[in-house]
Amino acid sequence: MNASPIEPVSPRPVGDSGSTPAHGRAPESPRRSRADRARQVAEVLRRQIASGAFASGVLPDERILIADFAVSRNTVREALGVLRDEGVVERRQGVGTVIVRRPYEHTLERLTGLAETLGTHGEVINRVRVADVVRPPGEVARKLHVPDGGQVVYIERLRLLDGVPLSLDLTYLAADIGEPLLTADLAGRDLFGLIEESTGGRLGSASVTVHAVASDPRTCQLLDIPAGSALFTVERLTRMPDGRPVGLEFLRIRGDRLAFHAELVRAAPDPHPHMGPAPQEDDGLRQVGDER
């Protein structure tokens, strides 16, 4: 597994005989509680599980985890308890610690639909709850550049992966984009693909903001999760290549079933930092990267 040790190595004083340097006492690494160390082990294992490690579906033996993470047996057992409480693993006699639910990675580097991203992991099904022409809320109208008194198409879908609820998607589309979709296969297709087929062109870009929230009772019921479970809320504004905003979505995604992933490149320093960023249109969203 080649996991990095959890315990930090205390810095060694420098001197002729290992004594404290003349400039003062060397800093000491603070002692951390077993709960802190267990949390770190659980986080690394959770990330490995999400990325597809442990193809056998069984975690390594406790002795291997102890050696890999350089922690005690009690720390490893507490970390496995954290993952067990989250429903990620379970202990099976004669087998070991078995992965029972693997969160799926969803990239933030490309503008892709859910079925495009997760279709290889199972069957994506959409239960259409609402599909109609409506008067948009003021904030939605502003972001989609809908004039006063204008209408949009509203689509609400419960999305399932292999029969298990994954997300509740609330989508507002510009009328000319959304109306042709009202007779399309909303239950079996991603909206992105339907839009591109209808318009005969490619979508351009999207702005995405992700928050973590506690779910409300109704959303818990729809997503089949315990009350107060953590959710990702994703707000996404999708544009055509010319920059025109055509879709605004509010996605509520189960935090135990999806992990967002992106590869980021550090940009060169701004040679003129005092000048500030170039002015841009304020659409109320923070640009994080192209969605899903």
Side-chain angles (χ1 to χ4, degrees):
M1 190 168 63
N2 299 323
S4 300
I6 295 301
E7 287 296 335
V9 178
S10 299
R12 238 182 119 178
V14 178
D16 292 340
S17 59
S19 60
T20 303
H23 294 295
R25 187 173 180 177
E28 296 180 356
S29 296
R31 292 186 62 83
R32 294 174 302 144
S33 69
R34 188 171 72 203
D36 288 333
R37 297 192 298 271
R39 173 179 48 80
Q40 277 189 277
V41 173
E43 185 62 37
V44 173
L45 290 174
R46 188 185 299 109
R47 180 69 185 86
Q48 289 181 296
I49 291 170
S51 63
F54 317 121
S56 67
V58 180
L59 294 189
D61 183 84
E62 284 184 1
R63 291 169 297 179
I64 296 176
L65 296 176
I66 290 168
D68 280 347
F69 288 100
V71 295
S72 69
R73 181 180 299 275
N74 285 338
T75 297
V76 166
R77 289 181 174 176
E78 189 168 332
L80 295 178
V82 170
L83 297 178
R84 185 175 59 249
D85 291 343
E86 294 175 356
V88 177
V89 302
E90 68 180 22
R91 184 74 180 176
R92 294 181 184 171
Q93 188 173 3
V95 179
T97 302
V98 178
I99 299 169
V100 294
R101 186 178 63 240
R102 189 185 296 271
Y104 299 107
E105 287 195 343
H106 200 308
T107 182
L108 287 171
E109 297 172 328
R110 298 183 304 277
L111 187 56
T112 58
L114 186 68
E116 290 177 291
T117 304
L118 301 182
T120 57
H121 298 295
E123 183 183 14
V124 176
I125 296 176
N126 308 306
R127 292 180 181 169
V128 182
R129 294 173 48 80
V130 181
D132 205 355
V133 178
V134 301
R135 176 87 45 95
E139 185 69 0
V140 173
R142 185 182 73 82
K143 291 178 178 178
L144 291 181
H145 300 175
V146 176
D148 291 343
Q151 293 182 314
V152 298
V153 169
Y154 174 67
I155 298 172
E156 179 176 318
R157 301 190 295 176
L158 179 65
R159 315 199 71 183
L160 301 92
L161 179 61
D162 275 349
V164 180
L166 176 65
S167 68
L168 179 65
D169 297 5
L170 318 179
T171 305
Y172 295 90
L173 298 171
D176 63 311
I177 299 295
E179 286 181 359
L181 273 54
L182 292 175
T183 56
D185 182 14
L186 295 174
R189 297 282 306 279
D190 281 336
L191 290 183
F192 289 162
L194 292 174
I195 291 172
E196 290 178 339
E197 285 184 8
S198 174
T199 61
R202 301 281 288 177
L203 287 167
S205 63
S207 298
V208 179
T209 302
V210 181
H211 298 282
V213 299
S215 56
D216 60 90
R218 179 54 177 160
T219 302
C220 286
Q221 182 182 19
L222 290 171
L223 294 180
D224 192 22
I225 52 178
S229 296
L231 292 175
F232 291 119
T233 62
V234 179
E235 182 176 340
R236 177 177 65 197
L237 182 67
T238 304
R239 307 179 187 87
M240 300 300 286
D242 62 3
R244 178 199 172 195
V246 293
L248 180 62
E249 295 172 275
F250 300 95
L251 318 177
R252 295 202 157 204
I253 302 170
R254 284 178 51 161
D256 63 340
R257 300 212 68 205
L258 206 63
F260 291 101
H261 172 78
E263 293 289 337
L264 306 179
V265 178
R266 185 170 172 81
D270 186 350
H272 305 291
H274 61 282
M275 298 180 62
Q280 296 181 352
E281 179 186 359
D282 177 17
D283 59 12
L285 295 175
R286 180 168 58 88
Q287 179 73 38
V288 179
D290 283 350
E291 161 66 355
R292 301 199 291 188

